[in-house]
Amino acid sequence: DTVIGTLLVLGAAVSFALHHILAKKVIGSLGSALFTSIALSTASVFCILHQAVVSGGNFAASPRFLWLSAGCAIVATVLPTFLINAGLARTSPQAVSMISTISPIVTIALAVWILGEPFTWADAIGSTLVLAGVGIYTWGEGRGVPRHS
């Protein structure tokens, strides 16, 4: 169902944004490696629970699929997550948001260029909204709160 899918994606986007905004303090106290380990372990538990519910507990998969999944998990999830959180520990959430905004744009460009995927008006509008949202957030945070004398 499109509505449920849209709401799930919106929820994921809000969750990801809150993670970047609120994580700075926690990373400062725990360290980026421990914070990332806890976050990824928690995500893994929920992925396993989801699979158990959806498949009725059937975890059967071919060895090739398991190796490809492990490679994708390490290269596309674990490594980038550790790097983003290490960057967040050293910079501001605004800087990390600006940098991580490039990822979907690059993904779209590669999908169009390498896979021949169509680039529609919906893609253009969505990309523009994401970039505008991050830009407005960064601009607003950079201005700071004016002091009253």
Side-chain angles (χ1 to χ4, degrees):
D1 186 33
T2 303
V3 173
I4 292 173
T6 302
L7 291 174
L8 289 172
V9 170
L10 177 62
V14 169
S15 172
F16 188 70
L18 288 174
H19 166 79
H20 278 290
I21 293 169
L22 302 174
K24 179 78 172 172
K25 289 181 184 176
V26 179
I27 289 174
S29 63
L30 292 178
S32 66
L34 179 58
F35 175 82
T36 305
S37 298
I38 291 169
L40 289 177
S41 297
T42 304
S44 298
V45 167
F46 281 100
C47 286
I48 291 168
L49 286 173
H50 175 266
Q51 178 63 21
V53 170
V54 170
S55 70
N58 181 9
F59 289 92
S62 69
R64 181 176 188 273
F65 176 81
L66 293 175
W67 280 111
L68 289 172
S69 297
C72 187
I74 291 168
V75 174
T77 303
V78 174
L79 184 61
T81 304
F82 272 100
L83 292 173
I84 285 174
N85 288 332
L88 187 57
R90 291 168 178 78
T91 63
S92 69
Q94 295 81 14
V96 173
S97 293
M98 289 298 288
I99 293 166
S100 63
T101 300
I102 301 301
S103 178
I105 305 302
V106 171
T107 302
I108 290 171
L110 290 174
V112 170
W113 179 50
I114 294 173
L115 301 176
E117 293 285 327
F119 186 75
T120 65
W121 277 106
D123 296 322
I125 292 169
S127 300
T128 303
L129 287 172
V130 168
L131 290 172
V134 173
I136 290 168
Y137 168 74
T138 304
W139 176 72
E141 288 294 315
R143 291 179 52 205
V145 178
R147 295 185 188 173
H148 297 294
S149 300

